[in-house]
């Protein structure tokens, strides 16, 4: 965890932070303990709506876009290499002092360290708890060649480093598109919409009057705005497991996430199902795709009067559920 390595670096490893000025902390885990940093001078930069909400609830200044310049910055690297590099480039460009980089070995921190040493002088790493932390004081443009943002793929869709299925169309979503009926009703939601592949296809149906494009990742939602230009689309930066529309919907379509960090977490997809059952009209329908090994059917049966598995393939299963069950008061 960044907590242990950062504390070691500050108390025993020779890392010195400035006594004044803002400290930017890029994409830390929401449960990270940053007690060694001056809370009143910390600015958390994160992309995921629930994480920002958690940091704000803990009393931190948290936002999507960094504001002002930093006296120092700390970057907790994500798993995606291109996203990690872009984050370091962004932090370096906005920081006047020391830049600290932390990450797990399983997330590629050693490869990143080697790459950074080709750009600037880097400290010896602090190695602890299967990860490494190191720091440097780079020129603002030292990592300019690592900068990356939203861009069009060969297929014409806009994606960005770190966004799910950034390199192209997700095969599970493509399978779901082929299985959807021509008519879904007037009011529809795409929960966990990502960069908007499903939403773009849903809006080829003229009977849809409004489509709620719900996504917790801010960058993914910005990509969706590029990919879905139909005025019927309503873009919502929100946690799909907590979101509630103003009126009940005719249909929900989704390819829900199932990872928390590196570990598979079926509870996340099950939370999406509970949202679908809660926001659908009494005759509403859910259409979803999932990896074949995920145990979703039992949960669906507790939430809907009718559930059916459609023809999928060896990797993915297609599930259809209708008539959500309402708890009696």
């Amino acid at each position: 965890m960044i907590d242990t390595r950062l504390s070691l670096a500050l108390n025993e490893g020779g890392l010195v932070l400035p006594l004044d000025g803002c400290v930017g902390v890029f994409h830390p885990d929401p449960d990270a303990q940053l007690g060694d940093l001056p809370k009143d001078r910390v600015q958390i930069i994160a992309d995921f709506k629930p994480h920002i909400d958690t940091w704000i609830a803990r009393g931190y200044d948290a936002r999507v876009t960094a504001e002002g310049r930093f006296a120092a910055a700390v970057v907790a690297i994500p798993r995606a290499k291109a996203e990690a590099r872009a984050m370091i480039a962004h932090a370096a460009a906005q920081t006047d002092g020391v830049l600290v980089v932390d990450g797990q070995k399983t997330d590629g921190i050693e490869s990143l360290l080697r790459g950074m040493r080709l750009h600037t002088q880097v400290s010896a790493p602090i190695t602890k708890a299967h990860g490494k932390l190191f720091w440097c004081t780079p020129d603002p443009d030292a990592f300019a060649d690592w900068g990356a943002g939203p861009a069009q793929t060969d297929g014409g869709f806009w994606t960005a480093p770190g966004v799910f299925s950034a390199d192209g169309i997700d095969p599970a979503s493509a399978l779901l598109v082929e299985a959807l009926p021509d008519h879904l009703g007037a009011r529809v939601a795409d929960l966990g919409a990502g960069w908007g592949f499903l939403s773009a296809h849903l809006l080829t149906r003229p009977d849809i009057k409004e489509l709620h494009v719900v996504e917790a990742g801010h960058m993914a939602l910005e990509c969706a705005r590029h990919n879905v230009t139909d005025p019927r689309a309503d873009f919502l930066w929100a946690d799909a497991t907590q979101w509630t529309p103003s009126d009940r919907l005719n249909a929900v379509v989704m390819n829900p996430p199932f990872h928390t960090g590196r570990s598979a977490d079926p509870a996340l997809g099950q939370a999406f199902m509970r949202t679908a059952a809660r926001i659908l009209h009494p005759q509403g329908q859910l259409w979803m795709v999932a990896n074949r090994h995920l145990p979703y059917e039992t949960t669906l049966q507790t939430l809907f009067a009718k559930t059916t598995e459609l023809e999928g393939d060896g990797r993915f299963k297609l599930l259809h559920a209708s008539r959500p069950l309402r708890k009696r008061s």
Side-chain angles (χ1 to χ4, degrees), residues 8-272:
L8 282 173
L10 288 168
N11 296 299
E12 303 176 24
L15 173 61
V16 178
L17 297 180
L19 297 177
D20 53 20
C22 189
V23 179
V25 183
F26 289 74
H27 291 225
D29 287 337
D31 57 350
Q33 301 302 311
L34 303 178
D36 288 281
L37 299 180
K39 187 174 183 178
D40 61 334
R41 295 196 286 124
V42 167
Q43 183 181 129
I44 304 289
I45 300 92
D47 180 80
F48 194 53
K49 182 68 162 58
H51 291 182
I52 286 187
D53 291 344
T54 297
W55 283 110
I56 291 174
R58 290 174 60 182
Y60 283 87
D61 174 11
R63 58 189 70 201
V64 172
T65 303
E67 182 174 305
R69 295 200 61 78
F70 300 127
V74 180
V75 175
I77 69 161
R79 292 177 61 188
K81 184 177 182 179
E83 183 186 15
R85 287 185 168 188
M87 201 179 296
I88 288 169
H90 182 199
Q94 286 197 245
T95 303
D96 297 319
V98 64
L99 171 63
V100 182
V101 178
D102 179 88
Q104 296 300 112
K105 293 180 180 179
T106 50
D107 290 337
I109 190 64
E110 292 176 330
S111 172
L112 201 62
L113 172 58
R114 291 192 295 270
M116 289 185 66
R117 282 174 170 159
L118 298 176
H119 289 72
T120 191
Q121 185 174 351
V122 181
S123 73
I126 301 291
T127 301
K128 186 76 173 179
H130 308 291
K132 290 187 176 183
L133 177 146
F134 46 86
W135 58 93
C136 58
T137 307
D139 294 331
D141 60 351
F143 300 99
D145 60 321
W146 281 8
Q152 280 185 298
T153 66
D154 293 340
F157 287 105
W158 285 80
T159 69
V163 170
F164 173 70
S165 193
D167 296 329
I169 297 168
D170 172 57
S173 294
L175 187 68
L176 178 57
V177 161
E178 295 300 319
L180 291 174
D182 292 334
H183 301 284
L184 289 165
R187 306 186 70 248
V188 181
D190 179 0
L191 297 186
W195 51 257
F197 172 75
L198 282 174
S199 291
H201 281 274
L202 288 170
L203 287 168
T204 62
R205 293 160 172 78
D207 59 331
I208 293 179
K209 303 304 180 186
E210 57 185 77
L211 175 67
H212 301 285
V213 183
V214 183
E215 172 54 46
H218 191 270
M219 180 58 74
L221 192 66
E222 290 305 300
C223 291
R225 293 181 193 274
H226 284 285
N227 296 321
V228 183
T229 57
D230 192 301
R232 293 173 292 166
D234 177 26
F235 297 92
L236 298 153
W237 185 44
D239 179 357
T241 68
Q242 303 296 321
W243 175 72
T244 301
S246 58
D247 294 300
R248 295 194 187 277
L249 307 180
N250 301 108
V252 168
V253 177
M254 64 188 193
N255 177 7
F258 64 93
H259 278 94
T260 302
R262 299 185 67 88
S263 303
D265 183 9
L268 186 55
Q270 290 162 346
F272 270 65

Side-chain angles (χ1 to χ4, degrees), residues 268-306:
L268 186 55
Q270 290 162 346
F272 270 65
M273 295 178 209
R274 284 190 285 274
T275 294
R278 174 171 52 82
I279 66 179
L280 280 168
H281 185 275
Q283 299 301 316
Q285 301 184 65
L286 166 65
W287 302 83
M288 65 176 288
V289 63
N291 284 48
R292 190 157 289 284
H293 69 279
L294 293 169
Y296 285 162
E297 289 82 353
T298 300
T299 301
L300 276 183
Q301 290 166 6
T302 66
L303 296 170
F304 291 87
K306 183 178 180 181

